[in-house]
Amino acid sequence: MTTACAPGKVILFGEHAVVYGRPAIAVPVTQVRARAVVEDARSGHGLVIRALDLNLQHRFGTAVATDAPVYALEATVRHTLEWLGVETVPDLTLTLSSTVPIARGLGSGAAVATAIVRALAQHFGHSPTSRDVSDLVYQTEIIHHGTPSGIDNSVVAFEKPVYFVTGEPIQVLRVQQPFWLVVGDTGIASPTKIAVADVRRGWREHPDKYEALFKRIAAITVRAREAIAAGGIAMLGELMDENQELLEEMGVSSPELERLIDASRTAGAIGAKLCGAGRGGNMIALAESEKTRAIADRVREAGAANVIVSVVGATDRKSRRASTKESPPHDLGSP
Ligand code: MEV
């Protein structure tokens, strides 16, 4: 039996603009995880994919509609077996489970695909690099998102804070001073594909407006990288607020997101914004460690379906313990 896991992620700066060649910053969120378990099966069994969250079982190689959730899972397995040079369908059971909520901006598709790639590779005695895993998962991201920038597969596969520009080598960020994030879920599913397509429509209709927004977001992201490297937490908060304003102008925010963002600011967040594709999904608030609980409580009172507290850049055990999973989105067993 081989087991592999992969974390969720949040985008700190630059979502959407990153699809248009601008930089973005993302960090892994290890409080939520996807898990893949590969088990040998009797001869003639074939390869069976069991997705516990989706309550489905699928025999690899049998017909599947391109819009069915299992399509991306089957494609991930196929790409990985091809990459591994496995030519005949192996007799295996692949069991998938995840605590990363689906379509909430936390990278659930990339997390599940990364866990699949790692588990299958390990099972066949390979040790792919993070770059190999990321490249394979990017193929799945195309199925999920249409025109992905590649940031989700990168941050999830590398499992490090990253500064990302499509087509350029990943830059792993140096975090001078750890900082805390309160991540609040609106409870509203918002498929990335739809928000990205809407932004593209807006960009086609009003190219000057959208290019100007992307340019300002890019400048914020560059300054945020400097703030992270210098430990400038107050500056980071200001930049988050500025990024949120531009995302609102872009039309990807929502009243539900803004309610949680306002609640976090009232409770003392240093800055806050939506994270990921927007419209629904999650928001993030930057917090001093001693204020995380008050902010989490206020965000929950404002209607959050779930709240996670996560720390970025901490290496000591005490700080890591400060990260909590407050109430699992769907608890399918501890990864
Ligand atoms: C999705 O996590 C982030 C977006 O910028 C899309 C992408 O980068 O592919 C909205």
Side-chain angles (χ1 to χ4, degrees):
M1 185 169 94
T2 317
T3 302
C5 291
K9 66 93 201 18
V10 289
I11 298 194
L12 297 188
F13 294 94
E15 50 272 273
H16 288 292
V18 68
V19 177
Y20 298 80
R22 300 334 198 265
I25 293 173
V27 298
V29 174
T30 52
Q31 287 79 11
V32 286
R33 284 197 163 258
R35 179 170 61 169
V37 179
V38 179
E39 288 167 287
D40 281 318
R42 61 172 167 73
S43 170
H45 174 273
L47 198 165
V48 172
I49 302 170
R50 295 169 63 227
L52 302 185
D53 311 69
L54 304 174
N55 200 20
L56 64 79
Q57 186 156 312
H58 171 77
R59 183 169 295 280
F60 181 83
T62 54
V64 52
T66 52
D67 58 351
V70 80
Y71 181 80
L73 302 177
E74 159 132 356
T76 309
V77 172
R78 186 165 10 89
H79 294 145
T80 309
L81 293 178
E82 280 166 16
W83 187 83
L84 292 167
V86 177
E87 282 168 11
T88 47
V89 177
D91 294 312
L92 297 175
T93 301
L94 171 66
T95 305
L96 307 171
S97 57
S98 175
T99 55
V100 190
I102 296 170
R104 307 283 173 83
L106 296 189
S108 68
V112 172
T114 299
I116 292 174
V117 172
R118 285 184 181 152
L120 283 172
Q122 271 176 48
H123 188 82
F124 287 98
H126 287 253
S127 307
T129 63
S130 301
R131 175 79 271 157
D132 294 333
V133 174
S134 177
D135 287 348
L136 276 164
V137 173
Y138 182 71
Q139 302 304 318
T140 310
E141 289 289 285
I142 293 173
I143 296 167
H144 284 304
H145 298 169
T147 55
S149 63
I151 191 167
D152 286 14
N153 46 288
S154 301
V155 64
V156 171
F158 280 80
E159 242 176 282
K160 296 252 165 41
V162 297
Y163 179 90
F164 176 88
V165 181
T166 301
E168 293 183 9
I170 310 294
Q171 295 179 39
V172 173
L173 282 182
R174 193 173 59 81
V175 181
Q176 172 68 20
Q177 187 188 328
F179 53 91
W180 279 259
L181 296 173
V182 176
V183 185
D185 190 343
T186 59
I188 298 167
S190 169
T192 301
K193 204 174 194 161
I194 294 174
V196 167
D198 286 351
V199 170
R200 189 167 294 279
R201 200 170 308 115
W203 174 71
R204 283 210 186 100
E205 285 167 12
H206 308 284
D208 293 348
K209 173 185 166 186
Y210 277 76
E211 282 298 327
L213 287 170
F214 298 152
K215 196 172 165 197
R216 287 168 69 194
I217 290 173
I220 287 172
T221 305
V222 170
R223 287 170 65 204
R225 176 173 60 170
E226 289 161 12
I228 291 170
I233 305 300
M235 172 56 67
L236 208 55
E238 272 178 40
L239 293 169
M240 274 189 181
D241 290 341
E242 282 177 33
N243 196 162
Q244 170 62 19
E245 271 178 37
L246 299 175
L247 289 162
E248 286 172 22
E249 279 185 49
M250 207 187 282
V252 293
S253 189
S254 71
E256 293 82 3
L257 279 163
E258 286 162 33
R259 191 162 59 238
L260 303 189
I261 289 167
D262 289 348
S264 74
R265 288 180 183 147
T266 310
I270 308 165
K273 63 182 275 294
L274 67 83
C275 65
R279 295 275 166 75
N282 279 266
M283 51 69 70
I284 47 173
L286 181 66
E288 284 155 15
S289 66
E290 58 277 15
K291 290 204 179 143
T292 53
R293 180 160 290 278
I295 294 170
D297 287 348
R298 191 69 73 88
V299 167
R300 205 178 294 102
E301 279 159 26
N306 189 55
V307 181
I308 296 166
V309 179
S310 189
V311 63
V312 180
T315 47
D316 62 295
R317 297 175 101 205
K318 192 171 159 220
S319 298
R320 279 191 189 283
R321 274 204 305 274
S323 296
T324 59
K325 184 169 73 172
E326 299 244 331
S327 59
H330 32 262
D331 204 357
L332 295 160
S334 49

